[in-house]
Structures are given as structure tokens and as C-alpha cells.
Amino acid sequence: MTILQTRNLKKIYGAGENAVHALAGVNLQVEKGEFVAVVGTSGSGKSTLLHMLGGLDRPTNGTVTVDGKDIFSLKDEELTIFRRRKIGFVFQNYNLVPVLNVYENIVLPIQLDGNSPDAAYVESIIETLGLKSKLQNLPNNLSGGQQQRVAIARALAAKPAIILADEPTGNLDSKTSQDVLGLLKITSQKFVQTIVMITHNEEIAQLADRIVRIEDGLIVAR
Amino acid sequence: MNVANKKYIRQLSMKSMKAARTRNLIAILAIALTALLFTSLFTVLLSINHSVQQANFRQTGGWAHGTFKYLTHEQFDEIKTDPLINQYGLRRFVGTPDGVPFNKSHVEIGYSDAMQAHWMYCNPGEGRLPAEGTNEAATDTRVLELLGIEPVLGNKFTMTFDVDGIEITETFVLSGWWKYDEAIVANHVLIPHSRAQAIFDQVGIGSGIGKDGMTGSWNMDVMLGSSLHIEQDLNEILTNYGYQNESRSLGDNYIQIGVNWGYTGSQLADNIDPITVIAIIGLLLIIVFTGYLIIYNVFQISVSNDIRFYGLLKTIGTTGRQLRRIIRQQALVLSIIGIPLGLLTGYWIGIKLTPVILSRLNGVVEDAVSASPLIFIGSALFALFTVMISCRRPGRMAARVSPIEAVRYSEGTAYNKTIRKAQSGASLPGMAWANLGRNRSKTAITVASLSLAVLLLNMTVTFTNGFDMDKYLANVVSDFIVADSSYFQTGNFWGGDRALSEEVLSSLESQSGVEAGGRVYGKSSPVEEFVTEDYYRALYGKWNDKEALDRAVTFTEKNEEGLLAERVQLYGMERYVLDKLRVLQGDLSKLHEPGGRYVAAVYSDDDYGNAKMDSHWAKLGDTVTLRYVEKYEYYDPKSGKILDPDNIPDDQPYRHRAKNYQDIDYQVAALIIIPHSLSYRYYGTDEFIMNDQRFIQDSGTSNIMYYACDVSDERTGDMEAFLYDLTNKQMPQLDYESKSTYAAEFDSFRNMFLMLGGVLSFIIGLVGVLNFLNAILTGIITRRRELAMLQSIGMTGKQLKAMLTWEGLYYALGAVAVSLLLSIAAGPLLSNVLASMFWFFTYRFTVLPILSVAPIFTVLGIVVPLTVYRVVSKRSVVERLRETE
Ligand SMILES: Nc1ncnc2c1ncn2[C@@H]1O[C@H](COP(=O)(O)OP(=O)(O)O)[C@@H](O)[C@H]1O
Ligand SMILES: [Mg+2]
């Protein structure tokens, strides 16, 4: 079952002489439960692609369909609501809310949706990611690896259709990177979670079910 | 630190400053507002001082520092070169006209040089001073009006005047005139020196001095280097030439001097009133505090936002001292822009406020706004001082930063909190609340700054609300009082020559609407009582030392029992006025009877209406002997020789005693307190009241001091109009007071405070709002990425705005809550202090101003964050996420 599909996705920054074709017509398809790694050199358009997939920014051309829905047909507010229900983000620099503790950060997207969290499910995520003892801590006194695990937990908590991760291990040392990636892989399997992960590290990409290569805004090989 | 190093620091400081545009703007505004507050305060203060001084000068007749009086020509020429004298002016007095139409005015004819004329306010608005060798003269519009001469240059006028006892009639040609100023006591007719000398020759004075010791003499007005020690300087000048000012009897080298008390008087007035001093210091402190709250906050926020930058500077070897210097330099540069801005606007506001206050000060000219450089120097220094103390702590904070911590620092880690207990998850208000906790000092100071204005406003309103009209009018017991204008003027003593005429009275008494009224007869001939030596000593002991007191006791006239004679003031009152008195003991019914010989003794009370039982010696039932003196005789206490009353030497001590008199005994039927508005209105001697017939019969005089009456409500307006017309057009020497003028006076007094407090609260409110704006602005700008991230994980724009609005509301409503609590807590204290300072104050608790400010603050709390966010959110989420710190 296809959960994510792009058609001729283009993104042009600027205009005229200065125009940057960050995406030059991307066609991508991701199946449910798949763990896809997107690799490419710096500036090749990986982040731009991820932003489009998550509906953070609108493309110049083309469509993105998530769970059968053409997301750019939605208005801004609707898109935000769709995003918090269907998409979980994990960023390179964790992006946790500094004034909220670990637990509050994890359940924040669910609460923003006006729902109360599925306690058992959140519990099992916390357990899986090994955050049980840190729930009341504020992000600033967690290590980078711990913070990224909180970010992953947060992305998972709303049971999204897809998790989009932009270089989730970019700020971590290689040992911690291995741990975090391992957890990502496990959760992908355990919770049947679709994951699209960006990386420029070939070694890390090897963990994925499939590798997509991007160059100058175009997918080059499967 | 070497020079190159300093230069590098300055460059760094300027560079980092350029990066903080918004911060600079807000800091400049804050500094400007602080300077503005100082400037308006100083402008108002110095303007009041200035105009009080001006008023004094008008009363003294000029603004020269001092005068050497009654000099000869030679003495004049000798003294004028003294180096202590900066400028001098000459005046030679010629004479005064006393016949009709000048019988009521003080007009002087004389020669003044241009300098002296200028110092006496004789500045021809039209024409010029008289030219030498002509028959010209210059004068004011009042003299012309009395003469019935149109103020047209070239008009001729003739005056008859007394020159050293000789009557002279002269005709002059008008060469110039100036507007009459009623505040100046004397009116001048200035003639050229040649003409003055001709008149002196004509009456036989020549170049000498007249018999009166004044006419023809040379008077020198001088300006010295400073007004601080005029008397000392004048005496020093005299000593330089071998003259003295001790006593005429010491020799011919005596020269009389005059010191313009306008200078000393106004300085003294400022120094002695402790309430004013406390109020001024209080205001200065409030302004420093207001300025501190915002300037400190702006710098503190800016330093904590730039902490990584300072950490970086430290990593590469900048010292803490250098970092402090960077902050200080930035503050200085911002002050250079902000302070002049504040000085100008503050001066403008001060100029606008001054007349409001001046109109409340009696007899003070209203156009007297000070432009003293002191205003600007003082305000600039105070503002700079505020800026410097405000950026000290932020400077230390930058200096203390550890390079390692700085890298990890983000707003919210400033305090060592590692755990947050909440388990239920975060709500929007909860998140907003947590956000305020990130920089607690910023939150606290912003709230304090907002509260300060609200608190001040509430205090102003509480204060003016407490002005109790009933208390204030408690002493105003009649609807109208009519009398000669001198009766109402402070500093003027009513005398029998200023009585109301029967004609005026009958027209007053026949006015329709008068429900009840009565006349009061006042003293016109000397009356004495006899008191014990102890009482006498108690009475005068306050002002005299032991020696002077002993001398007074020895020489004061005594009766057979050895009691001392002491002047008294008598009232003869008609029934209506008697009934307005406050009886302490006894009753007034005996005074109502026409025949009996009864008096009421007048006791005094304090501002709060408490009778002072030691303010009179007479007790209920006492017999009082009053001595009505027809004639005194004067004698030399040493030799006992009787002196000629018309020729008493003014430098010798002399005494007087009753020669022809009549003693009458009265019984004290009541002890009473007289409302101030019905009294003589100045502190005099002991007072007794009798009824009108008794007074007329015993004193043999019937001079009416005032007429008081009550008028029916519907006729009050008519009466007011009638009296206004009477006292302004028909008989300008009369004046009146009405309950409604008191009420209006009271209202305008209250409104002045309301307006001043309102303006102050408003400006401090502006500072508070600016502080709030800065707090919200920096709060949103530094969290741009965080807010974008919240949106990326699914916070809608609406939710985000709701969260920010909650933050704004916490600030604004926090300020309301804080000021509400403080007002309630401080209420009792405030009430005691104010009630003891103002006798007409009744504390009435109110928080209405706070409650009415609440909606405004609510709107601000919502609008400010939304507007700021609107600006920030123009950039897309992705753009904001990509921003590197
Ligand atoms: N908001 C933007 N404005 C202008 N150019 C952008 C913007 N975002 C990305 N780009 C440009 O688009 C290209 C692709 O960027 P990005 O997707 O971030 O690459 P990657 O994540 O693969 O390093 C780059 O050349 C980048 O400079
Ligand atoms: Mg990227």
C-alpha cells in the first residue's frame, strides 16, 4: 500500500538569474511500513524534499499525496492540523521545547490536537526508547542522544502515517548515532511505522530498507 | 590596557551595537522618556521658583540686587567704581502727588537713568524715556488713566506734587509709556535729570539733600556678581570707602543700604518647607526608579540574548573589564541620542504644565517660565546617572559569562531548574506561564514597571478623591462676604479707614434673595487689655530672647494692679454673625441683649478643628477690663522725658502710654472659635467679640469691616453677578468672597493635582508599555526558531497566537493584580500620611483607576504579542527553521 507519493515535485527558490532549482521534478513513492533513506551531497535538495513531504512549505509545482490526500489542496491551518495527525518530524538539532519536560514534549502534538494521549501506547514508546527515568527532566540537561530519543518519541506519539527525519544523527557521535538509528529501526518494525530519513552518510543509509539517491534536485537511482 | 586595545574594543562595541537595531531604538526611547521626566520636573520647579522671585521683585519694585540710599553726588561717584559692582543705576527722587486723583495710589516723580528704569520695570512699550534738556516725561497707563490723558505720545499733562514739603505744579510732554502692572506697588513718572535738577534748584535744595533726608539725594541700585550674599557685598563695598551701616549716631560716614529681599525671600521659601522637599525627592526617586526598571531591563535582555557572543569574545581573550566597557560605551552612545530628545520634549511639557500650577499660586505672574540652563544640565546629569546605574548589572553579567556555559545557553537555562513536575502535559496557558519563567528578572521588572504607573495613577486619584469639600468649606459659613479688598488680601491689615459705607450696605441688604445677613464692626481706635506678666512672657517669649523680654516687661504700661497693657482686637457683631460662631463654653444669649456688658473671648483652633485652650487667657465668667485709648503720650524711658509725637528721633528707644482713655469692665459670657473667613484673617493679638450696639457705644466708632449674608439658592447666581459687577466696575476698591468661589478654588486645586498626577502616571505608563513591548518583542524574536518548530510539529497559527496572547495577558494582568494588592496593602498607611498633611483630606478607598486601566491593559496584552508575531511570521516556517543561531 502506497502511503506517500510525489508527482513531478519542483521547488524553485528566488527568480531569474538567482533562481535555485532545489527540486527539479521529483517522483517518489513510499510504501507503508517502509524505512527509506534519502542520500545526497550537501545542497542536493534533501531537506527541501523533506519539507515538501511534510507540508512545511509549498512546492512551485507538482503534488504530494499522503495517505491518499493531496496535501497542498489544504489551506494553511488545515495543513498544520493534517501534519500533526499524519506526520512526525525529527530534526538534526532535536528542537525540543525548553520549558517543557520530557513527558510534556512527547505528548505535546497530541495535546495540541485536543486529544488525551493513548497512555499505554505512549508508555510503550517511552519504554522502547529508554526514557522512563527522565520523564520530568527539562531538555537542557539531557545529552544529545537522549534529546534525540525524546524527539523520536514525540514524532511517534501521535501515531503518524510517516516520520520524516532530517539528519537525525548529524549532531551525535558515532556510538550514539548507532544507538539512535537502532532505535529508529526497531520502532519502524515494532510499530509498523513508515520512516523517511535523510542522511549524507552512506554507512547509516545502509540500515534502511531502501536508499533513494538525490542529485541537483533529481532522484538518480533506486 | 593600551590605546590600540581601546580602539579595538570601541570598534567591537559599535559593531555589535549596529546589530541590535530594535534594542537601540527602545533604549533610546527609554532614555529619552527618563530625561523627559526629569526635565519636566525641573522646568516646573524652576519656573515656580522663578515666578515667585519675579513676583517678589514686583512687590519690592525691581530686581536690582541692592541699593545704596540717600548718597551725595560725591559719595555716588566714589562708590560706583567698586569692582564688586557689576552694574549700577541712578535714581533721584523728586516728589509725590497726594491730591485727587492720586490719593489712592502711590505715584513717584523722579529721575532714573536707563539702567535703573529698566530694573524698576519702567520699560516704555511705546516711545522712550525722556530726553535730557526737554520737558518730556514717561509714565505708566495707570497714571495716565488717573489724569484722564490718552496714552498718545506728545500729549501734555500737568501734575501738582509735593517736593520736600513745597507744592509744585509742572507740565510735561509724554515721551513714552508702559503698561500698568498691578503687582508693582509704585507708579512712576520719570523726568530727565536736567528737569529734576531745575526743580531741586527751585525749591532750594540745589545739589544738597532735602529736609526729609531723601529728596534730591542720589540713590544707587546695583547688580553684583551673585545674589547669594548681597548684604555682605554691600557692606564690604561700604567698608572699602570707609563708610558704615551700623548706626547714624556713629558718625557722618553712615550710609543706608537696601537688600532686595526678592532674592533671599524666594530662596528661603524653597528651603524651609519640608513637605515640598520630601515631595521633590520622592518624585526624583520615582523617576530614577522608572528609568532604572526599563533601561536595566533592555540591557539585561540584550546581554542575555547576546550571551554567546560575549562568551565567544571571552574565548578569544577579551577580559571582563573590556566587556563591561563595551556595554557602558553602548549605553553612552544611546544616551547621547536619547537625552537631548528627552530634554526638548520634557521642556515643552514643563512649559505647558507650569501655568496650571502657577495659576494656583496667588499673586504670581503666569508668563514666568524659566529657561535656566540648570534645568538641562540637571536633567541630563540625572538621566545619565540613571543610565549608568541601570547598565551596571548587565555589564557585570556579560563580564562574568563563562565561555563554555555561553555556548550551551539559551533563554530558559538562566536558572538552575532541571526538573519540571507537571505530568498532565502542557496546556497553552501552562506553556505561556512556563515561558515567563525563562527570564524571571525580565518578567518581574516588566510587571513592576507596568504596575508603577497604575499604582501612581491610583494614588493620584485616591489623593484627589480625598479632597473633602465639606471639610474645606467648614470654615466658610456664609454664602457671601463683602468688604474692602484689603480685608481679603493676605499681608494686608484691615484698618478703620477701609470701612464699608452705609450706602453700599443698604444696597447689599436690599438685594433680593438675601435670607439673613449681618455686619461686623472692626477696630479703629486702640484698645488695650491687662494681662499678667506670666501670660505676657508666654505670649512674647516665642519671638524674643530673655533680655528683650525683660526690657519689654519693664517698660510696658501697667495698671494699678500691676498688670501689663496689651493691645486687643475687637469685633462688634450683629446677631447673624454671632450665630455663626462656634461656642466652646457658655452661651451667646447674653451677647444678644443690647444692654449688657458682655464679651466672648476668641480662642483659636488647629487645621483639624481642635480648640487650643491655651490660646486665650480669659475664662468663662472672668471680668475683663478694656481700656479705650484716645491719646497716647511718648516718652524717653531713660530720662522719663515726654517726647513730641510729631518729632520722635528714629534712632532712640522710646515708649508710649495711654494718656486719655476710658476703662470699661465686661464679663466673659462665652468662649468661642471664630471661623477663619469671618475673622480679621491675620494673626494678631487677643480678640474679644461684643454685639454691634455695645461696640459702637463703647468704642465710639462704627467702621464696618465686612458684611456677610446667606442667599437663597435660586438667587445665588444673581447675587454673584451683582457683586461681580459692583466690585469690578462700580466700586473696584471693594471685593467679595462667595462659597462658590471657594468651591471653585478648591476644585481647581484638586484638578491641578489630578492633572499633574495624571501626566506623570501617563508618561510612566508609556515607559511601562515600552518595557512591556520590549519584553514581548525580544521574547518572540529570540524564540523565532522555537516557534517555527512548534508549528512544524503541528501547532496551528491560532494556537501559537493564543499562547503568545496568554503571555501578554500574564504580564498585563499581573501588573493589575500587583498594583491592586499593593494599593490595598498601602491604603491605611497612605490615608494616615495624607490626612496628617492635608487637613481637608478624608481618605476614601478606591481601586477604580486600577479596574478601569485593566481593560486597557487586557487589550495591550492581546494586541502587542499578536502584532509582534504578525511581523515575525511573515517569514515561512522553513525559513525560520533554517536559521542558524
Ligand atoms: N529558503 C531558501 N531560499 C533560497 N534557497 C534555498 C532555500 N532553501 C534551500 N535553498 C537552496 O536550495 C538548495 C537545496 O537545499 P537543501 O534542500 O537544504 O539541501 P540539502 O538538505 O541537501 O543540503 C541549496 O542550493 C540551497 O541553498
Ligand atoms: Mg539539509
Side-chain angles (χ1 to χ4, degrees):
Chain A
M1 182 200 159
T2 304
I3 195 127
L4 172 71
Q5 181 155 40
T6 72
R7 281 221 177 79
N8 196 26
L9 198 60
K10 287 185 183 168
K11 180 69 182 179
I12 305 169
Y13 287 112
E17 298 238 319
N18 302 324
V20 177
H21 292 256
L23 294 179
V26 171
N27 292 301
L28 178 67
Q29 194 167 327
V30 178
E31 300 302 318
K32 184 167 167 57
E34 214 179 353
F35 185 176
V36 180
V38 179
V39 292
T41 52
S42 180
S44 56
K46 306 181 295 290
S47 294
T48 308
L49 174 63
L50 201 79
H51 293 152
M52 296 302 141
L53 298 183
L56 283 178
D57 205 357
R58 288 176 188 270
T60 315
N61 216 330
T63 59
V64 173
T65 315
V66 177
D67 218 1
K69 183 95 195 159
D70 174 2
I71 63 171
F72 294 116
S73 68
L74 298 170
K75 295 200 191 81
D76 276 355
E77 290 288 276
E78 292 169 344
L79 185 54
T80 308
I81 292 166
F82 181 82
R83 187 164 63 229
R84 77 180 170 216
R85 287 181 185 156
K86 297 288 181 186
I87 292 159
F89 275 104
V90 178
F91 296 102
Q92 178 177 350
N93 40 24
Y94 333 128
N95 278 345
L96 300 176
V97 183
V99 293
L100 299 183
N101 65 24
V102 166
Y103 178 79
E104 288 170 321
N105 263 290
I106 293 172
V107 299
L108 182 60
I110 306 169
Q111 287 188 323
L112 286 175
D113 208 23
N115 298 323
S116 45
D118 175 345
Y121 180 66
V122 171
E123 183 82 354
S124 75
I125 295 171
I126 289 169
E127 200 104 0
T128 311
L129 291 169
L131 293 169
K132 188 113 193 166
S133 63
K134 301 285 179 195
L135 287 182
Q136 294 196 344
N137 282 43
L138 288 170
N140 272 299
N141 40 54
L142 295 181
S143 70
Q146 286 167 331
Q147 288 192 54
Q148 197 59 299
R149 277 186 274 155
V150 176
I152 292 168
R154 178 178 71 186
L156 282 166
K159 298 183 193 165
I162 319 163
I163 285 181
L164 301 172
D166 192 345
E167 310 228 14
T169 58
N171 279 353
L172 303 175
D173 59 65
S174 55
K175 168 76 176 63
T176 320
S177 295
Q178 289 299 331
D179 289 352
V180 168
L181 278 171
L183 285 169
L184 210 54
K185 176 92 183 168
I186 290 165
T187 45
S188 151
Q189 286 163 354
K190 185 170 175 186
F191 301 110
V192 201
Q193 185 66 63
T194 316
I195 297 178
V196 177
M197 178 184 73
I198 286 176
T199 178
H200 59 264
N201 184 330
E202 291 285 344
E203 200 183 322
I204 285 169
Q206 297 307 321
L207 277 168
D209 301 339
R210 174 157 70 102
I211 296 174
V212 173
R213 221 166 283 279
I214 191 165
E215 254 169 51
D216 292 337
L218 281 170
I219 290 176
V220 286
R222 299 193 171 211
Chain B
M1 202 190 326
N2 61 41
V3 178
N5 212 338
K6 264 188 186 162
K7 199 172 143 207
Y8 167 71
I9 293 295
R10 183 152 10 145
Q11 278 175 357
L12 205 60
S13 154
M14 292 306 117
K15 286 230 174 72
S16 74
M17 214 170 125
K18 279 200 189 113
R21 285 246 175 76
T22 330
R23 197 270 324 250
N24 294 344
L25 190 71
I26 288 179
I28 286 172
L29 277 176
I31 294 169
L33 282 171
T34 309
L36 175 152
L37 284 168
F38 284 123
T39 317
S40 9
L41 177 68
F42 287 143
T43 307
V44 167
L45 285 181
L46 283 168
S47 293
I48 290 174
N49 188 52
H50 177 69
S51 47
V52 166
Q53 215 168 46
Q54 283 297 317
N56 288 346
F57 293 159
R58 282 165 193 231
Q59 268 185 43
T60 61
W63 77 91
H65 285 150
T67 310
F68 295 104
K69 293 179 179 171
Y70 319 133
L71 308 177
T72 64
H73 191 175
E74 292 72 37
Q75 288 173 328
F76 185 92
D77 285 342
E78 190 181 3
I79 290 174
K80 74 182 182 191
T81 53
D82 193 281
L84 279 173
I85 298 174
N86 266 6
Q87 289 173 306
Y88 66 89
L90 165 66
R91 171 156 179 85
R92 293 186 74 190
F93 170 75
V94 175
T96 51
D98 347 285
V100 180
F102 299 110
N103 52 340
K104 278 182 173 176
S105 333
H106 179 76
V107 179
E108 283 186 13
I109 293 156
Y111 163 73
S112 290
D113 64 11
M115 187 60 88
Q116 211 273 338
H118 178 56
W119 291 342
M120 286 199 313
Y121 298 98
C122 300
N123 302 309
E126 192 82 10
R128 50 171 173 74
L129 292 174
E132 285 303 320
T134 65
N135 56 356
E136 290 176 345
T139 188
D140 67 19
T141 50
R142 165 84 174 169
V143 172
L144 293 174
E145 190 186 304
L146 290 171
L147 284 164
I149 300 287
E150 285 295 309
V152 174
L153 300 184
N155 273 358
K156 285 202 166 94
F157 59 96
T158 302
M159 294 177 81
T160 299
F161 49 95
D162 176 284
V163 182
D164 197 26
I166 297 169
E167 197 152 278
I168 291 242
T169 301
E170 298 274 322
T171 300
F172 306 102
V173 174
L174 188 63
S175 71
W177 52 267
W178 54 92
K179 263 192 75 170
Y180 166 59
D181 181 342
E182 55 202 54
I184 299 173
V185 183
N187 306 89
H188 290 281
V189 178
L190 298 184
I191 61 174
H193 197 214
S194 51
R195 183 79 176 268
Q197 191 56 55
I199 295 172
F200 295 143
D201 291 342
Q202 190 186 331
V203 299
I205 295 176
S207 320
I209 297 177
K211 287 197 290 296
D212 59 4
M214 179 168 77
T215 311
S217 65
W218 296 57
N219 290 279
M220 190 197 306
D221 277 5
V222 292
M223 280 296 188
L224 307 164
S226 133
S227 64
L228 293 179
H229 30 66
I230 298 173
E231 184 163 7
Q232 212 176 313
D233 285 0
L234 295 185
N235 277 317
E236 194 177 328
I237 295 169
L238 287 182
T239 316
N240 288 347
Y241 299 98
Y243 295 108
Q244 50 90 12
N245 175 43
E246 307 284 305
S247 166
R248 202 185 295 283
S249 51
L250 284 178
D252 271 353
N253 62 348
Y254 174 83
I255 286 181
Q256 202 174 326
I257 57 168
V259 176
N260 192 339
W261 58 263
Y263 288 99
T264 44
S266 59
Q267 275 163 9
L268 216 71
D270 281 354
N271 289 340
I272 45 175
D273 184 359
I275 292 182
T276 316
V277 173
I278 290 171
I280 292 170
I281 292 176
L283 279 173
L284 283 177
L285 285 180
I286 287 178
I287 299 173
V288 170
F289 186 55
T290 309
Y292 177 81
L293 284 184
I294 181 163
I295 300 167
Y296 167 78
N297 212 20
V298 169
F299 276 96
Q300 199 267 347
I301 293 172
S302 128
V303 167
S304 55
N305 289 345
D306 293 346
I307 208 83
R308 281 166 201 243
F309 169 70
Y310 294 112
L312 183 72
L313 287 181
K314 253 214 165 150
T315 321
I316 60 171
T318 318
T319 67
R321 271 185 56 175
Q322 286 170 326
L323 289 180
R324 278 210 302 271
R325 173 180 282 270
I326 288 179
I327 306 272
R328 210 167 43 235
Q329 277 178 354
Q330 297 188 354
L332 268 176
V333 170
L334 297 173
S335 299
I336 287 170
I337 307 168
I339 290 178
L341 216 69
L343 293 184
L344 290 180
T345 37
Y347 187 61
W348 182 81
I349 291 179
I351 288 175
K352 297 281 161 206
L353 284 182
T354 301
V356 180
I357 302 165
L358 286 183
S359 66
R360 300 297 330 132
L361 299 171
N362 278 337
V364 171
V365 275
E366 297 190 10
D367 55 338
V369 172
S370 170
S372 161
L374 271 180
I375 294 176
F376 302 102
I377 297 169
S379 312
L381 286 180
F382 265 99
L384 203 61
F385 166 76
T386 311
V387 172
M388 285 303 139
I389 58 164
S390 304
C391 66
R392 262 180 58 191
R393 257 175 64 111
R396 277 212 299 274
M397 179 173 161
R400 255 205 328 258
V401 64
S402 109
I404 297 145
E405 271 173 30
V407 175
R408 272 183 64 97
Y409 181 92
S410 74
E411 201 179 42
T413 55
Y415 60 103
N416 304 328
K417 201 173 160 184
T418 55
I419 298 281
R420 188 177 135 86
K421 280 273 156 60
Q423 266 295 354
S424 57
S427 61
L428 293 177
M431 278 174 81
W433 183 256
N435 283 333
L436 292 192
R438 291 174 176 216
N439 188 339
R440 288 181 179 184
S441 102
K442 159 175 146 180
T443 308
I445 284 181
T446 308
V447 170
S449 174
L450 280 171
S451 314
L452 188 63
V454 187
L455 212 55
L456 264 177
L457 182 71
N458 201 58
M459 273 168 71
T460 304
V461 173
T462 305
F463 176 52
T464 50
N465 229 13
F467 276 36
D468 192 330
M469 178 84 84
D470 290 337
K471 269 192 193 171
Y472 187 76
L473 292 183
N475 260 323
V476 183
V477 288
S478 290
D479 288 351
F480 291 95
I481 296 176
V482 186
D484 185 89
S485 57
S486 62
Y487 171 74
F488 298 107
Q489 278 156 22
T490 28
N492 261 329
F493 302 115
W494 183 86
D497 53 334
R498 304 287 182 87
L500 289 180
S501 69
E502 279 300 332
E503 182 197 347
V504 170
L505 263 149
S506 57
S507 98
L508 287 172
E509 282 164 340
S510 63
Q511 283 303 305
S512 64
V514 173
E515 288 176 331
R519 348 168 141 192
V520 170
Y521 298 89
K523 67 146 184 223
S524 17
S525 61
V527 182
E528 293 173 346
E529 64 178 352
F530 291 91
V531 298
T532 62
E533 188 179 322
D534 286 348
Y535 184 77
Y536 188 91
R537 282 182 184 273
L539 208 57
Y540 288 101
K542 287 172 223 155
W543 301 291
N544 294 293
D545 57 20
K546 177 99 179 31
E547 208 178 312
L549 208 55
D550 289 343
R551 222 176 320 129
V553 169
T554 316
F555 292 120
T556 298
E557 185 187 353
K558 297 177 192 66
N559 69 359
E560 297 78 42
E561 292 106 69
L563 295 173
L564 284 78
E566 171 64 14
R567 283 283 183 104
V568 289
Q569 287 179 167
L570 293 187
Y571 298 88
M573 289 185 173
E574 288 191 344
R575 175 89 184 244
Y576 163 85
V577 188
L578 283 175
D579 289 342
K580 301 274 183 192
L581 303 175
R582 203 175 111 207
V583 177
L584 300 173
Q585 286 174 27
D587 72 283
L588 290 168
S589 60
K590 287 189 178 136
L591 265 80
H592 291 159
E593 302 160 18
R597 282 212 150 93
Y598 294 103
V599 292
V602 179
Y603 280 71
S604 51
D605 60 354
D606 62 17
D607 280 339
Y608 298 88
N610 306 312
K612 295 190 224 164
M613 291 317 290
D614 58 352
S615 56
H616 205 296
W617 61 270
K619 303 278 169 283
L620 198 63
D622 281 1
T623 300
V624 177
T625 307
L626 294 182
R627 172 167 291 184
Y628 295 88
V629 183
E630 279 156 39
K631 202 170 165 205
Y632 282 103
E633 65 183 5
Y634 298 83
Y635 65 100
D636 183 337
K638 282 185 212 138
S639 62
K641 208 177 84 195
I642 308 290
L643 301 169
D644 171 10
D646 291 331
N647 204 3
I648 295 170
D650 59 0
D651 57 344
Q652 269 178 42
Y654 65 90
R655 297 287 156 187
H656 63 75
R657 60 189 165 217
K659 186 156 181 258
N660 306 332
Y661 58 85
Q662 186 193 3
D663 284 352
I664 300 176
D665 287 350
Y666 299 88
Q667 204 191 343
V668 178
L671 311 184
I672 60 94
I673 282 173
I674 185 167
H676 177 77
S677 63
L678 296 179
S679 71
Y680 275 99
R681 301 189 178 209
Y682 60 85
Y683 182 81
T685 51
D686 288 339
E687 295 183 335
F688 292 102
I689 292 171
M690 51 190 78
N691 69 36
D692 51 325
Q693 292 100 322
R694 190 78 274 152
F695 180 89
I696 295 170
Q697 201 181 333
D698 292 355
S699 74
T701 62
S702 58
N703 295 312
I704 301 165
M705 180 158 69
Y706 62 82
Y707 173 73
C709 64
D710 289 333
V711 173
S712 65
D713 287 349
E714 61 272 21
R715 287 288 180 181
T716 303
D718 295 345
M719 188 68 170
E720 187 93 41
F722 167 76
L723 287 176
Y724 183 84
D725 186 68
L726 178 77
T727 57
N728 281 286
K729 301 209 176 93
Q730 285 154 259
M731 309 187 109
Q733 73 273 24
L734 300 186
D735 209 345
Y736 76 101
E737 246 174 29
S738 65
K739 223 175 212 170
S740 54
T741 45
Y742 272 112
E745 195 173 277
F746 188 70
D747 269 340
S748 81
F749 190 57
R750 174 166 57 195
N751 287 341
M752 174 187 85
F753 279 109
L754 199 56
M755 166 158 172
L756 291 181
V759 169
L760 185 69
S761 309
F762 179 76
I763 297 174
I764 291 181
L766 277 187
V767 175
V769 169
L770 190 65
N771 216 348
F772 171 61
L773 179 79
N774 185 50
I776 293 285
L777 193 71
T778 51
I780 291 179
I781 286 176
T782 52
R783 282 183 296 158
R784 269 181 305 216
R785 272 198 49 152
E786 186 184 322
L787 299 180
M789 175 271 293
L790 282 170
Q791 278 178 296
S792 75
I793 64 162
M795 191 181 247
T796 61
K798 239 191 224 145
Q799 286 172 321
L800 198 64
K801 285 183 205 158
M803 183 182 83
L804 294 175
T805 303
W806 273 108
E807 290 178 17
L809 283 176
Y810 282 140
Y811 278 116
L813 298 179
V816 170
V818 166
S819 29
L820 205 61
L821 284 177
L822 281 179
S823 291
I824 292 169
L829 182 74
L830 193 70
S831 85
N832 286 338
V833 172
L834 289 176
S836 66
M837 266 162 52
F838 301 93
W839 57 270
F840 47 79
F841 185 86
T842 303
Y843 180 72
R844 296 186 187 106
F845 176 76
T846 178
V847 285
L848 213 67
I850 299 181
L851 298 182
S852 44
V853 162
I856 304 177
F857 271 31
T858 310
V859 171
L860 272 176
I862 295 170
V863 168
V864 170
L866 289 188
T867 320
V868 172
Y869 177 69
R870 258 256 286 288
V871 176
V872 172
S873 68
K874 287 233 171 75
R875 305 171 63 207
S876 75
V877 177
V878 171
E879 277 175 308
R880 282 181 276 152
L881 277 175
R882 280 173 55 92
E883 252 172 35
T884 45
E885 291 146 89

